[in-house]
Amino acid sequence: MLLLNEFRFLFRQPLVWLSLVILPLFSTLLAIGSGGENTDSGKQLIYLHSALIMLAVPILVGAISALLLIRDNTYNMHALVAATPISYTKRLLVRYSALSIFSISMTFVAMMLISIILWQRTGSFLLSTTLIHAAVFLLPSVLLMSAIAIWLSSKQYGVYSLYAVFAAIWLGYVALASLSGSPILAGSTIANNALLSMMIWLDPFGLTAYLQALLSGEHAAIDMQVLLNRLIILTLTSAIIYNALHQKTPPKPHSNLKIKQPQPINPKHSSTMYHQIGTQAAPIQILAELSRTALNNLISNKLNLLILCGWIVLVFSEASAGLDYAEPFSVVQPTSHDALNRVLWDVVANLGALLVLFWTWQLAWLNKRSQIHELIAASPVSSTVLVGSQIIATTAMLCILALATAVGTSLAEWLLQSEWNLTLYLQYLGLAFLPLLLLAGVFIAINTCCRHQLLAIGLSLFVLVVKFTSFTSLLGIAHPLWNIAGTPMVMGDMQWGFSASGESYIPFIGVWLLVIGSVMVLSVLRSHRGTAMIANREAFLSSRNIWLICFGLATLAVTHQLLKLQHPFIGFSTSDQWRAAYEKQYSHWHEIPQPTVIHINANVDFYPDDSMAELNLDMLLTNNTKERIERVLVGGFAAQDYQHIALDDASLTEFDEVLNQYQFTLATPMTEGETRHLTVKFIYRQPSLFAASMHQIVRPEFSYIRGIPIVPSVGFNPKYRIRNNDIREAHGVDRIPSLPPSEIFKHPQDDVGQYDWVTIHSVVSTTESQFAIAQGDLVRQWTTDDRAYFEYKSSGPIRNIPAWLSTPNAPTSTSVEGRQLSVFSPASAQIDAFHLQAMQSTVDWFTTNGMTHEFGHLNLISMPDIGPTGYALPGIVLINHKVGFRAYPNVHAGFDQRFRRTVHETAHQWFGHGIGNGVDHDRAFLIESLAKYIELVLIEQAYGKEAVTALVDYERERFRLQRANNQLLPLSLIDARASFEMYSAASVVFDTLRNEIGDQPIINALNVIWNHHKYPQRPATSMDFIRALKHQLGKDWDDRIDELFLSPLTIDSIVINKSSTARYPDSFTV
Amino acid sequence: MLSINSLNKVYSDGTHALRDINLQLPTGMIGLLGPNGAGKSTLMRTLACLQSADTGSVLLNGVDITKQPMKMRRQLGYLPQYFGVYPNMTCRALLQHMAILKGITNKYEQSQQIDNLLALTNLSEVADKKVTAFSGGMHQRFGIAQALLGSPNILIMDEPTTGLDPVERQRLHNMLVNISQNKLVLLSTHIVEDIENLCTYAAIMMRGEIVESDRVDALLSVPARNVWLTRNKPQNKRSILSMTHYMGICKYRVMSDVQPDSSAEKVNITLQDRYYLELAKQGYDNAVA
């Protein structure tokens, strides 16, 4: 009966109903947002259930326990309840039971939902696993959390303290799990073995012991460690409950009104008379007084003080951890850029938003909470002034938070002897905190007009969910404006500052000022003045309100249109929709003979200061088929606008504006070997409302235009299709059979695909102070009309990925056997020379080993921090400024990462842009995995065997962690898709193979596929390499080669290094 | 001074809190009587512009304050039935805070008025103590002090004597009488005697309606009826106005044209008798066993 009574209370509380909605929604989002093709459903279920338990249980128990256990004091019911004939122990136990039963039931329903969603996706319903997870992990965890809650309530802690403790448990657990290498949390590593041991025994959720097996490549199981952990937790739970129930002194009620002896009446005042004094309105002074009181209340709140102190510690810890980190084995001399970038764009942006929500909520309901709301609301202070005081107080708190951030990062900088820069601090903090202030405006507006606290919190949290999660993407309505009060601003770097996104900042801030401003005015008109009662009889749809709503909506609509002009795929229009429509409408062109591009004559004019470039392309097409070509399809991706597009001897018969496809009909059909010119003219303008991204950027500090996908393609372009089969199905296009290369190319075959190579001639102009770069050899450069011109010409065909760049950095060059190598960077000549040396070593190695490749000059360019750390195009290598030009080896590194990176990207001229292209169904083995092999060889050559061992050990550990983290089924090296397979596993496999057979058989095999499959022969497949290698080694090695290259890459096979028992002869023949 | 016209309010749970309220409130002290849940607090909050009515208007010297609430707020002193205070603020600091909100920004005037009100409410000695630490009576006196800040023309006080000891209660009465000469003081209380002693006008409210409103002396003149005090329970229970006890002995106040029994003695009619009469008319239980 008593228990039922508790549930009767619970189910009358809005928070409980809110949790009934949120928890299942959260679990559904978790389940929907993970997995896909080739997912290990058992492993996925373990991850999802573990994530749900660790993330949801503390929050659920914390929220409900505040409601259930502290309600007597919160609502001044203590005396009434305490007077009932139910013992304190009994009352506490009943409430403990209600809390536990409710939390267990709710979380179990959420776990079942996950299992059902996976069941629908994979076809296997893992009921027994779900029940085991509930019994072994959920049950003891909830019992422990509930015990902590009743202990806190028995010690008379208030609601805030309880929330603070559970928030600390939540955050603390995530931090500890991350430091003990939890495979659930991306990026976690084992920081300390003692911590790991402690977590195995004392993890409140028991997940560390359970998931340890996955880190070793085994299946997770309920073993003795798990059971002991659960036993310890249950014992601890019992002890906490015992302590809570056996207090020496009975709990006393909290009361706002402490009864004291009444003050004696002072007779001398008895005759004091009341005199009238006139009043005068002084809004500024009233605003100042209200703001001061509001700020005092926030600052004097102990929890806020704790948060601000904790903030400094958090920022310091985050900034100092890895302030000088560039990449493994590599560090930089840190600056304020690095320190501020480490905290501002994630810690400050995300946690800062939560703090803003908390503070604005505190301010909005301060009067109500203090029960002074009616006095304040009845005073002659306008609602505008009341709201204004909240804005001022929040602004002041944000300034304090900014100061706390600056203190934390400055301490970290001082500790690591970083280059501290005040100007950068002012710039970065201003840019990062202004959006937080705008967000505060949204929350203040919500609280001002929302009469129910819970609804106000719910709406504010919904704003955060929309802003920070992929919720809208899941609904298929991704849009930059869902980043409420946000801007596309991305972190600045030392090469180009905020050039990637700085231009978009002011327009977005302006838009949000107008929109949030009108929302705030509307909320002031609808203000309940802190009373939670309606004080305004004006209809919501009054003309004044309608004007405000229309103004806000019109601002958003205009912004949407401006965004749409710069980026076609926002809102309901997605790239996938375009791709699916393209495939549905034009895939039949795949069967229609089409000419191929064999030469590109390009005139490219960069205007970096205006963020634009003009491109004039003359493409020579030829008919390589035996059939006559009468119609030609020429199309651009999405909405790339072409000012001019014409085909010789052809008329434009159809133009599909939506899919940007042009259909030409030739006056005279093209016969075999015949050629035509396709001329295209267009302007590329850097979008000002989006952050710059690869691979089209035109900025004064760095300009780079890759032809794909803005240069039109001829015929149906299969690369435009959606690749993910689940997404294909969702958009109504057939699945593409995804057989692995090891199956497709198991046997030698001729029809595997064809090379798409062209010769390129480019004349590139830029501002006089810059250098333009293109593929091929630089044959001429001159200056006319304050512009610098550069003419490049490829000596032979290269892979058809044209690219043009402009950089303010002068080149440092060297020449190797007629091939010019150049480095364009803002770094010192010494660093440039180091890269030239690495490039030269790589080129030499290939030349020495008989793999000649005529791709012309090779240019290495420093690129700002815009995504990849390295990227190779034919004849061009881009390397991130931080890792390539600021970084240097740390004291423990046996080699230089800059050398490894340059070798890797240079090797792509052979593996990737030599062979490794032209075969649609092959994966990245011939590109990335072979480049990893070259890394090993050249690092050993330059730094010795120990350096290779250090690198391979690192790659092995990286593989182990990521394999444990990954829910996809393991693939072989040939079929690898994940980066940790094609990179890390490749290093380990090739190192193992080198140790077993040496380099020569591998080089011989590479020679075979290079010489038999280089352009214009039939392109190589990854299985061609396997066959060549097996041929080199003889039949005895077939099984070993299959084991290394064709067996699934598991932790067992990679981390637990197994050597072959086979012996390889000392000499061999090609 | 204040004209209430056809005021209606229905809460979302269906409670009809105000039913076509029409009242003309002149300057002076006006008492509002009614049982719990009669709608007194709703009416007072509506007059204080803290919540809106569904229909109707409230005119303050001709200005509809439901549309221009600031006109009311600039002249209002309000003491709600229940109120709290900010933590960590002394009595003087909180009065200062309220004074500024009421537009008293001149430091000298502020200080003078606060000192005056502290003395008037007998809080001078605890002016620098935190209000959260006050006893119930002191807390209430603080509420009265803040209501009087700024010399409001209209005072709305919901149960102002709650928690006050007899002397403090008397002091408040004296003060209210003193300040109500040219102001409107609207007083809501369950202590009918207070209204009878203090107010010139009174209104009786039941189930959201004003069932009687007039000068207090007019309310007391019930035509052709006498009130009797007797120890014997009359046969006609409907004639019983109220049952009270004196030193443990039960006594009945009976309304009757004739003497109900020989021991019954005729007494003067009080506002409480009139209030009980209205309760009986509306079918309320008058707690007569």
Side-chain angles (χ1 to χ4, degrees), chain A residues 72-390:
Chain A
D72 298 343
N73 282 335
T74 306
Y75 304 111
N76 290 324
M77 286 279 289
H78 188 275
L80 301 185
V81 174
T84 59
I86 299 166
S87 70
Y88 167 71
T89 305
K90 192 172 181 183
R91 194 166 66 239
L92 213 59
L93 280 176
V94 166
R95 291 179 179 186
Y96 174 72
S97 307
L99 177 63
S100 304
I101 292 170
F102 177 80
S103 305
I104 288 166
S105 313
M106 284 295 304
T107 318
F108 181 68
V109 168
M111 288 169 74
M112 281 299 286
L113 258 176
I114 289 174
S115 303
I116 290 167
I117 290 169
L118 293 192
W119 176 28
Q120 284 187 329
R121 191 185 294 164
T122 61
S124 57
F125 185 42
L126 302 168
L127 179 64
S128 58
T129 312
T130 307
L131 292 174
I132 289 169
H133 287 170
V136 178
F137 302 107
L138 174 64
L139 187 74
S141 307
V142 171
L143 291 178
L144 175 67
M145 293 293 141
S146 304
I148 293 170
I150 65 157
W151 186 84
L152 289 169
S153 79
S154 75
K155 301 290 176 196
Q156 296 297 289
Y157 284 99
V159 175
Y160 283 157
S161 307
L162 198 128
Y163 284 154
V165 167
F166 276 92
I169 290 175
W170 191 80
L171 283 173
Y173 182 79
V174 171
L176 286 175
S178 178
L179 291 173
S180 52
S182 169
I184 296 174
L185 303 167
S188 60
T189 49
I190 299 169
N192 185 301
N193 283 328
L195 175 70
L196 176 64
S197 304
M198 189 198 79
M199 285 293 281
I200 286 173
W201 301 117
L202 297 178
D203 181 346
F205 303 111
L207 300 172
T208 309
Y210 186 47
L211 300 174
Q212 271 305 293
L214 296 175
L215 290 171
S216 319
E218 295 161 14
H219 291 291
I222 312 293
D223 56 13
M224 195 49 74
Q225 274 187 339
V226 174
L227 292 175
L228 272 173
N229 165 278
R230 301 288 74 193
L231 197 64
I232 291 169
I233 293 303
L234 285 174
T235 311
L236 185 65
T237 304
S238 310
I240 293 171
I241 295 172
Y242 181 84
N243 186 276
L245 295 177
H246 293 81
Q247 292 192 110
K248 284 180 182 171
T249 53
K252 290 175 185 169
H254 275 176
S255 175
N256 289 333
L257 303 174
K258 290 176 185 169
I259 309 300
K260 292 194 171 180
Q261 284 294 316
Q263 296 295 303
I265 299 160
N266 189 344
K268 70 181 177 184
H269 293 309
S270 300
S271 60
T272 307
M273 295 305 291
Y274 179 69
H275 301 289
Q276 289 186 22
I277 292 175
T279 64
Q280 57 187 41
I284 297 294
Q285 279 171 289
I286 295 174
L287 182 65
E289 172 63 18
L290 276 171
S291 308
R292 191 181 60 79
T293 311
L295 186 61
N296 276 346
N297 267 289
L298 285 183
I299 290 179
S300 60
N301 183 305
K302 285 174 189 158
L303 184 58
N304 288 336
L305 286 176
L306 194 69
I307 286 172
L308 286 171
C309 294
W311 184 265
I312 296 175
V313 176
L314 175 75
V315 166
F316 169 77
S317 126
E318 187 65 24
S320 57
L323 178 58
D324 59 351
Y325 177 86
E327 60 180 320
F329 306 108
S330 188
V331 291
V332 292
Q333 171 57 44
T335 67
S336 293
H337 275 289
D338 303 302
L340 291 165
N341 275 336
R342 280 199 66 83
V343 294
L344 282 188
W345 314 108
D346 42 22
V347 174
V348 170
N350 300 341
L351 289 182
L354 278 176
L355 281 184
V356 165
L357 168 64
F358 180 53
W359 287 334
T360 50
W361 175 80
Q362 275 186 300
L363 282 177
W365 300 96
L366 169 68
N367 296 344
K368 177 88 177 156
R369 224 172 22 255
S370 308
Q371 297 180 8
I372 199 170
H373 53 294
E374 293 195 1
L375 303 186
I376 302 289
S379 64
V381 179
S382 70
S383 301
T384 311
V385 171
L386 288 175
V387 170
S389 69
Q390 292 181 31

Side-chain angles (χ1 to χ4, degrees), chain A residues 5 49 152 281 306 309 609 615 677 692 881 1009:
Chain A
N5 207 31
H49 280 172
L152 289 169
L306 194 69
C309 294
D609 294 330
L615 293 94
H677 286 272
H881 175 245
I1009 60 164

